[in-house]
Short mmCIF file of all heavy atoms in Angstrom, two decimals:
data_model
loop_
_atom_site.label_atom_id
_atom_site.label_comp_id
_atom_site.label_asym_id
_atom_site.label_seq_id
_atom_site.Cartn_x
_atom_site.Cartn_y
_atom_site.Cartn_z
N GLY A 960 193.26 87.48 77.61
CA GLY A 960 191.80 87.70 77.79
C GLY A 960 191.22 87.34 79.13
O GLY A 960 191.39 88.10 79.89
N VAL A 961 190.80 86.11 79.21
CA VAL A 961 190.25 85.72 80.52
C VAL A 961 191.45 85.46 81.56
O VAL A 961 192.49 85.16 81.04
CB VAL A 961 189.39 84.46 80.35
CG1 VAL A 961 188.20 84.72 79.50
CG2 VAL A 961 190.16 83.25 79.86
N ARG A 962 191.05 85.44 82.76
CA ARG A 962 192.05 85.19 83.80
C ARG A 962 191.48 84.20 84.80
O ARG A 962 190.38 84.22 85.11
CB ARG A 962 192.40 86.57 84.53
CG ARG A 962 193.33 87.45 83.82
CD ARG A 962 194.64 86.88 83.54
NE ARG A 962 195.54 87.72 82.82
CZ ARG A 962 195.85 87.58 81.48
NH1 ARG A 962 195.17 86.69 80.96
NH2 ARG A 962 196.74 88.46 80.94
N LEU A 963 192.49 83.46 85.35
CA LEU A 963 192.22 82.49 86.42
C LEU A 963 192.51 83.03 87.78
O LEU A 963 193.48 83.87 87.86
CB LEU A 963 192.97 81.21 86.18
CG LEU A 963 192.48 80.33 84.95
CD1 LEU A 963 193.55 79.31 84.73
CD2 LEU A 963 191.23 79.60 85.28
N PHE A 964 191.69 82.80 88.79
CA PHE A 964 192.09 83.07 90.19
C PHE A 964 191.49 82.13 91.11
O PHE A 964 190.55 81.33 90.79
CB PHE A 964 191.59 84.54 90.43
CG PHE A 964 190.18 84.76 90.35
CD1 PHE A 964 189.32 84.71 91.46
CD2 PHE A 964 189.46 85.06 89.11
CE1 PHE A 964 187.96 84.86 91.48
CE2 PHE A 964 188.20 85.37 89.00
CZ PHE A 964 187.29 85.18 90.21
N PHE A 965 192.04 82.07 92.35
CA PHE A 965 191.56 81.29 93.30
C PHE A 965 190.80 82.03 94.42
O PHE A 965 191.37 82.93 94.96
CB PHE A 965 192.75 80.50 94.04
CG PHE A 965 192.48 79.65 95.26
CD1 PHE A 965 191.85 78.26 95.09
CD2 PHE A 965 192.64 80.10 96.46
CE1 PHE A 965 191.59 77.63 96.22
CE2 PHE A 965 192.32 79.30 97.62
CZ PHE A 965 191.80 78.07 97.43
N VAL A 966 189.64 81.42 94.87
CA VAL A 966 188.95 82.26 95.92
C VAL A 966 188.01 81.33 96.67
O VAL A 966 187.32 80.37 95.99
CB VAL A 966 188.18 83.52 95.52
CG1 VAL A 966 187.16 83.12 94.44
CG2 VAL A 966 187.59 84.28 96.65
N GLU A 967 188.07 81.24 97.87
CA GLU A 967 187.05 80.37 98.71
C GLU A 967 186.92 78.95 98.26
O GLU A 967 185.83 78.42 98.07
CB GLU A 967 185.65 81.09 98.86
CG GLU A 967 185.70 82.52 99.38
CD GLU A 967 184.32 83.06 99.26
OE1 GLU A 967 183.46 82.57 98.58
OE2 GLU A 967 184.15 84.14 99.93
N GLY A 968 188.10 78.33 98.06
CA GLY A 968 188.12 76.90 97.65
C GLY A 968 187.75 76.66 96.20
O GLY A 968 187.46 75.45 95.91
N GLU A 969 187.72 77.60 95.48
CA GLU A 969 187.41 77.52 94.00
C GLU A 969 188.39 78.10 93.13
O GLU A 969 188.91 79.15 93.46
CB GLU A 969 185.86 78.07 93.67
CG GLU A 969 184.79 77.35 94.37
CD GLU A 969 183.48 78.02 94.08
OE1 GLU A 969 183.48 79.19 93.69
OE2 GLU A 969 182.44 77.34 94.28
N VAL A 970 188.69 77.59 91.92
CA VAL A 970 189.42 78.14 90.89
C VAL A 970 188.29 78.70 89.81
O VAL A 970 187.47 77.84 89.49
CB VAL A 970 190.31 77.24 90.15
CG1 VAL A 970 190.97 78.01 89.05
CG2 VAL A 970 191.41 76.83 91.15
N ARG A 971 188.44 80.04 89.61
CA ARG A 971 187.36 80.53 88.73
C ARG A 971 188.00 81.21 87.54
O ARG A 971 189.32 81.69 87.56
CB ARG A 971 186.50 81.66 89.43
CG ARG A 971 185.76 81.17 90.65
CD ARG A 971 185.05 82.23 91.36
NE ARG A 971 184.53 81.76 92.65
CZ ARG A 971 183.89 82.43 93.51
NH1 ARG A 971 183.81 83.69 93.22
NH2 ARG A 971 183.49 81.99 94.71
N VAL A 972 187.31 81.28 86.43
CA VAL A 972 187.82 81.99 85.27
C VAL A 972 186.90 83.28 85.08
O VAL A 972 185.68 83.17 85.26
CB VAL A 972 187.83 81.17 84.03
CG1 VAL A 972 186.42 80.60 83.71
CG2 VAL A 972 188.42 81.89 82.84
N ALA A 973 187.55 84.53 84.61
CA ALA A 973 186.71 85.67 84.71
C ALA A 973 187.26 86.64 83.66
O ALA A 973 188.38 86.58 83.31
CB ALA A 973 186.65 86.33 86.06
N ALA A 974 186.41 87.45 83.23
CA ALA A 974 186.79 88.52 82.29
C ALA A 974 185.83 89.73 82.59
O ALA A 974 184.64 89.57 82.91
CB ALA A 974 186.60 88.20 80.86
N ASP A 975 186.40 90.92 82.55
CA ASP A 975 185.66 92.13 82.85
C ASP A 975 185.37 92.87 81.38
O ASP A 975 186.16 92.91 80.58
CB ASP A 975 186.41 93.15 83.66
CG ASP A 975 186.39 92.66 85.10
OD1 ASP A 975 185.72 91.84 85.57
OD2 ASP A 975 187.14 93.32 85.87
N VAL A 976 184.08 93.25 81.30
CA VAL A 976 183.64 94.04 80.04
C VAL A 976 183.17 95.36 80.55
O VAL A 976 182.22 95.49 81.32
CB VAL A 976 182.54 93.33 79.36
CG1 VAL A 976 181.96 93.95 78.22
CG2 VAL A 976 182.92 91.83 78.99
N ARG A 977 183.73 96.41 79.98
CA ARG A 977 183.30 97.75 80.05
C ARG A 977 181.95 97.92 79.65
O ARG A 977 181.62 97.57 78.51
CB ARG A 977 184.28 98.76 79.47
CG ARG A 977 185.64 98.99 80.15
CD ARG A 977 186.29 100.18 79.63
NE ARG A 977 187.69 100.17 80.22
CZ ARG A 977 188.31 101.19 80.41
NH1 ARG A 977 187.75 102.46 79.99
NH2 ARG A 977 189.47 101.30 80.92
N LEU A 978 181.06 98.50 80.36
CA LEU A 978 179.65 98.69 80.03
C LEU A 978 179.64 99.72 78.70
O LEU A 978 178.67 99.61 77.96
CB LEU A 978 178.76 99.19 81.07
CG LEU A 978 178.57 98.18 82.22
CD1 LEU A 978 177.61 98.73 83.27
CD2 LEU A 978 177.95 96.78 81.71
N SER A 979 180.59 100.59 78.62
CA SER A 979 180.57 101.36 77.42
C SER A 979 180.93 100.57 76.20
O SER A 979 180.71 101.07 74.94
CB SER A 979 181.71 102.47 77.65
OG SER A 979 183.08 101.86 77.80
N GLU A 980 181.40 99.37 76.31
CA GLU A 980 181.64 98.36 75.16
C GLU A 980 180.60 97.21 75.25
O GLU A 980 181.02 96.09 75.24
CB GLU A 980 183.10 97.94 75.10
CG GLU A 980 184.04 99.15 75.06
CD GLU A 980 185.53 98.66 75.24
OE1 GLU A 980 185.65 97.44 75.75
OE2 GLU A 980 186.31 99.52 75.17
N PHE A 981 179.30 97.52 75.41
CA PHE A 981 178.35 96.56 75.77
C PHE A 981 178.29 95.38 74.73
O PHE A 981 177.89 94.31 75.25
CB PHE A 981 177.00 97.20 76.00
CG PHE A 981 175.88 96.24 76.46
CD1 PHE A 981 175.86 96.06 77.89
CD2 PHE A 981 174.97 95.79 75.60
CE1 PHE A 981 174.90 95.32 78.36
CE2 PHE A 981 173.99 94.95 76.20
CZ PHE A 981 174.00 94.63 77.59
N ASP A 982 178.44 95.62 73.51
CA ASP A 982 178.38 94.59 72.59
C ASP A 982 179.39 93.50 72.86
O ASP A 982 179.08 92.36 72.16
CB ASP A 982 178.52 95.15 71.16
CG ASP A 982 177.41 96.09 70.60
OD1 ASP A 982 176.26 95.99 71.27
OD2 ASP A 982 177.60 96.81 69.79
N ALA A 983 180.33 93.63 73.52
CA ALA A 983 181.29 92.67 73.80
C ALA A 983 180.82 91.65 74.95
O ALA A 983 181.38 90.61 75.13
CB ALA A 983 182.66 93.19 74.22
N LEU A 984 179.67 92.01 75.55
CA LEU A 984 179.21 91.15 76.70
C LEU A 984 178.82 89.81 76.39
O LEU A 984 179.24 88.78 76.98
CB LEU A 984 178.22 91.82 77.51
CG LEU A 984 177.67 91.16 78.77
CD1 LEU A 984 178.85 90.86 79.73
CD2 LEU A 984 176.55 91.98 79.44
N SER A 985 177.99 89.70 75.32
CA SER A 985 177.51 88.43 74.82
C SER A 985 178.66 87.44 74.50
O SER A 985 178.70 86.18 74.93
CB SER A 985 176.53 88.55 73.75
OG SER A 985 175.96 87.34 73.42
N PRO A 986 179.55 87.83 73.53
CA PRO A 986 180.58 86.93 73.20
C PRO A 986 181.55 86.67 74.26
O PRO A 986 182.08 85.44 74.44
CB PRO A 986 181.33 87.73 72.05
CG PRO A 986 180.87 89.06 72.19
CD PRO A 986 179.49 89.03 72.67
N THR A 987 181.66 87.53 75.31
CA THR A 987 182.34 87.23 76.51
C THR A 987 181.74 86.06 77.35
O THR A 987 182.53 85.30 77.96
CB THR A 987 182.73 88.55 77.26
OG1 THR A 987 183.28 89.56 76.56
CG2 THR A 987 183.54 88.27 78.52
N ILE A 988 180.56 86.21 77.47
CA ILE A 988 179.82 85.14 78.20
C ILE A 988 180.15 83.77 77.51
O ILE A 988 180.53 82.72 78.19
CB ILE A 988 178.27 85.31 78.29
CG1 ILE A 988 177.95 86.56 78.99
CG2 ILE A 988 177.58 84.02 78.84
CD1 ILE A 988 176.57 86.98 78.82
N THR A 989 180.05 83.71 76.31
CA THR A 989 180.33 82.45 75.48
C THR A 989 181.83 81.99 75.69
O THR A 989 182.20 80.76 76.06
CB THR A 989 180.04 82.52 74.05
OG1 THR A 989 178.59 83.01 73.91
CG2 THR A 989 180.25 81.32 73.32
N GLU A 990 182.67 82.94 75.62
CA GLU A 990 184.21 82.73 75.82
C GLU A 990 184.44 82.21 77.28
O GLU A 990 185.30 81.17 77.41
CB GLU A 990 184.93 84.02 75.63
CG GLU A 990 186.49 83.88 75.80
CD GLU A 990 187.08 83.00 74.71
OE1 GLU A 990 186.56 82.50 73.74
OE2 GLU A 990 188.26 82.55 74.99
N VAL A 991 183.95 82.86 78.28
CA VAL A 991 184.19 82.35 79.59
C VAL A 991 183.63 80.89 79.88
O VAL A 991 184.29 80.16 80.52
CB VAL A 991 183.61 83.36 80.63
CG1 VAL A 991 183.47 82.81 82.05
CG2 VAL A 991 184.32 84.64 80.66
N ALA A 992 182.36 80.63 79.28
CA ALA A 992 181.89 79.33 79.45
C ALA A 992 182.76 78.39 78.80
O ALA A 992 183.02 77.17 79.26
CB ALA A 992 180.51 79.27 78.86
N SER A 993 183.31 78.73 77.60
CA SER A 993 184.16 77.82 76.83
C SER A 993 185.46 77.49 77.61
O SER A 993 185.87 76.35 77.67
CB SER A 993 184.49 78.32 75.42
OG SER A 993 185.40 77.63 74.77
N GLN A 994 186.12 78.59 78.13
CA GLN A 994 187.23 78.49 78.84
C GLN A 994 187.12 77.72 80.12
O GLN A 994 188.01 77.03 80.50
CB GLN A 994 187.93 79.82 78.94
CG GLN A 994 188.33 80.65 77.79
CD GLN A 994 189.48 79.89 77.05
OE1 GLN A 994 190.02 78.87 77.48
NE2 GLN A 994 189.87 80.46 75.76
N ALA A 995 185.91 77.83 80.82
CA ALA A 995 185.74 77.23 82.00
C ALA A 995 185.82 75.70 81.77
O ALA A 995 186.41 74.84 82.44
CB ALA A 995 184.37 77.54 82.62
N GLY A 996 185.11 75.18 80.61
CA GLY A 996 185.36 73.84 80.19
C GLY A 996 186.68 73.44 79.90
O GLY A 996 187.12 72.30 80.31
N ARG A 997 187.40 74.26 79.13
CA ARG A 997 188.75 73.83 78.67
C ARG A 997 189.69 73.80 79.93
O ARG A 997 190.50 72.76 80.03
CB ARG A 997 189.25 74.89 77.74
CG ARG A 997 190.76 74.81 77.38
CD ARG A 997 191.06 75.83 76.27
NE ARG A 997 192.50 75.95 76.02
CZ ARG A 997 193.34 76.71 76.72
NH1 ARG A 997 192.87 77.71 77.48
NH2 ARG A 997 194.65 76.77 76.41
N TYR A 998 189.70 74.77 80.77
CA TYR A 998 190.49 74.76 81.97
C TYR A 998 190.11 73.75 83.01
O TYR A 998 190.93 73.18 83.67
CB TYR A 998 190.56 76.02 82.62
CG TYR A 998 191.25 77.20 81.97
CD1 TYR A 998 190.77 78.43 81.73
CD2 TYR A 998 192.52 76.98 81.45
CE1 TYR A 998 191.46 79.47 81.06
CE2 TYR A 998 193.21 77.84 80.85
CZ TYR A 998 192.70 79.25 80.58
OH TYR A 998 193.37 80.10 79.88
N GLY A 999 188.69 73.33 82.98
CA GLY A 999 188.37 72.28 83.87
C GLY A 999 189.08 70.89 83.46
O GLY A 999 189.37 70.14 84.39
N ASP A 1000 189.22 70.71 82.22
CA ASP A 1000 189.92 69.44 81.84
C ASP A 1000 191.31 69.46 82.34
O ASP A 1000 191.92 68.44 82.71
CB ASP A 1000 189.82 69.40 80.35
CG ASP A 1000 188.50 68.99 79.81
OD1 ASP A 1000 187.58 68.53 80.65
OD2 ASP A 1000 188.19 69.36 78.60
N LEU A 1001 192.05 70.64 82.21
CA LEU A 1001 193.49 70.77 82.66
C LEU A 1001 193.65 70.58 84.09
O LEU A 1001 194.58 70.23 84.57
CB LEU A 1001 193.96 72.17 81.98
CG LEU A 1001 194.12 72.18 80.59
CD1 LEU A 1001 194.54 73.66 80.20
CD2 LEU A 1001 194.99 71.23 79.89
N MET A 1002 192.52 71.19 84.84
CA MET A 1002 192.78 71.35 86.30
C MET A 1002 191.98 70.35 87.18
O MET A 1002 191.82 70.54 88.30
CB MET A 1002 192.49 72.74 86.71
CG MET A 1002 193.25 73.80 86.06
SD MET A 1002 193.20 75.38 86.74
CE MET A 1002 194.10 75.28 88.14
#
């Protein structure tokens, strides 16, 4: 699902949603926010 990457002194978590599958955008926002908190504890 989400992926981690390093850029400009930051570690970020991200996911791409095709606009043709727009209904997936809202749950993806929640998922990315959740994973940012989870990975933040680990890193």
Side-chain angles (χ1 to χ4, degrees):
V961 300
R962 286 290 182 262
L963 290 163
F964 61 95
F965 173 84
V966 62
E967 298 179 349
E969 295 178 339
V970 175
R971 302 177 190 174
V972 59
D975 287 350
V976 178
R977 292 191 179 210
L978 294 180
S979 59
E980 301 169 354
F981 188 78
D982 289 345
L984 181 56
S985 180
T987 301
I988 295 171
T989 303
E990 175 68 10
V991 167
S993 173
Q994 295 293 358
R997 172 174 171 263
Y998 287 133
D1000 293 336
L1001 296 173
M1002 306 192 71

